[in-house]
DNA sequence: TTGTCAACTAGCAATACTTGTTGATAAGGT
DNA sequence: ACCTTATCAACAAGTATTGCTAGTTGACAA
């Protein structure tokens, strides 16, 4: 995703408002690699802006996602994860603590078998590796 | 998963009871390839047993899953899908109607990159293809 | 700078899916 | 047939997300 300043301009140019709450969320997301949930972002935002509401966090995340600035991922951990990395990539997810990390690898062999592919209009291919992360293995 | 009769015996031998409601659910799942939700199974079961409760359906599905007779899949469609096919396989999911079909293909090239693999204990690798199915394409 | 107005915020209600609880019931070993 | 206890059905509660609304605020133009 773009810088907080650029996102402010993007929001204004699309008829949205560039509010302090939104800037706060932009800054938290920028450069984050933790794949936070809405609740996690809410907790961080609240530390800087105690009055911010969870509803505003969801609203802003949804706006960013529909503008294509972040990805909303369902990694099977019970709630959506938000990812400022919009490149095509895959994920490694800990089944114990839910932590997720990027896997940058193209898997060109992963294709829908020809027998099925004809009738189906493919839009995305997701690979999720699951297991236990280093810190969950050493207790 | 095994036949409804065998599942009845399995339930009894694991200290569970083989009730009419459970047999009904076993029969609905047996040979099904639709990856139904709990609600879908509830609707079908209710047609045959009007008094069955949704709670009982969830209970039985959870029992089957913990016995390893079915898989509980999160395909990102909002609710769990239940799969009597317990072989290792992947899925093709329609983003419009939510229909899911099996993809039987081994992707041996799909591996966690070595730089990451060392610290991570891998338990499963899931591939989900998303797009629009044949009937959703022709309106 | 200031006025105008649509968009936004916060708080709370509602929804969707799943699990917890409980008195009554019925399966299954003896 | 009896007794024990898992299960049943109904309802309540929990979790994640979205809907609603009255008051507030940012953006744009005069
Ligand atoms: Mn990512
Ligand atoms: Mn399947
Ligand atoms: Zn972990
Ligand atoms: Zn479809």
């Amino acid at each position: 995703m773009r810088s907080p300043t650029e996102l402010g301009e993007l929001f204004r140019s699309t008829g949205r408002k560039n509010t302090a709450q939104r800037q706060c969320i932009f800054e938290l997301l920028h450069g984050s690699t933790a794949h936070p949930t809405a609740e996690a972002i809410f907790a961080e935002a609240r530390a800087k802006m105690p009055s911010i509401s969870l509803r505003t966090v969801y609203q802003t995340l949804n706006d960013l996602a529909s503008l294509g600035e972040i990805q909303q991922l369902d990694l099977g951990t019970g709630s959506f994860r938000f990812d400022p990395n919009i490149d095509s990539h895959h994920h490694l997810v800990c089944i114990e603590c839910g932590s997720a990390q990027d896997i940058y690898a193209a898997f060109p062999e992963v294709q829908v078998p020809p027998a099925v592919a004809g009738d189906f209009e493919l839009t995305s291919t997701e690979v999720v590796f699951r297991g236990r992360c280093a810190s969950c293995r050493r207790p």
Side-chain angles (χ1 to χ4, degrees), chain A:
Chain A
M1 77 175 214
R2 301 178 225 189
S3 74
T5 308
E6 287 173 309
L7 288 175
E9 282 161 28
L10 175 65
F11 265 50
R12 256 177 288 149
S13 74
T14 53
R16 287 164 234 257
K17 291 180 180 174
N18 179 27
T19 65
Q21 288 87 342
R22 291 177 165 189
Q23 275 296 317
C24 174
I25 293 167
F26 298 163
E27 278 155 26
L28 290 173
L29 283 169
H30 192 243
S32 155
T33 59
H35 303 86
T37 62
E39 281 285 353
I41 293 166
F42 177 51
E44 288 184 78
R46 197 175 226 184
K48 296 185 179 179
M49 284 188 93
S51 77
I52 197 170
S53 76
L54 181 58
R55 190 69 186 85
T56 298
V57 172
Y58 272 108
Q59 202 106 273
T60 303
L61 292 172
N62 286 342
D63 285 344
L64 284 169
S66 57
L67 288 167
E69 292 293 328
I70 62 175
Q71 286 192 70
Q72 187 190 44
L73 303 172
D74 184 343
L75 299 177
T77 52
S79 40
F80 286 120
R81 314 293 289 253
F82 295 89
D83 193 346
N85 179 354
I86 53 175
D87 296 346
S88 167
H89 64 283
H90 302 289
H91 295 93
L92 185 66
V93 179
C94 177
I95 56 179
E96 223 166 284
C97 67
S99 68
Q101 68 178 288
D102 289 339
I103 297 293
Y104 277 105
F107 297 117
E109 312 83 2
V110 179
Q111 307 231 348
V112 179
V116 181
D119 286 335
F120 199 87
E121 179 192 323
L122 189 73
T123 57
S124 72
T125 299
E126 297 162 21
V127 177
V128 178
F129 298 99
R130 291 186 202 285
R132 293 202 309 144
C133 75
S135 41
C136 288
R137 284 175 71 183
R138 307 189 198 89

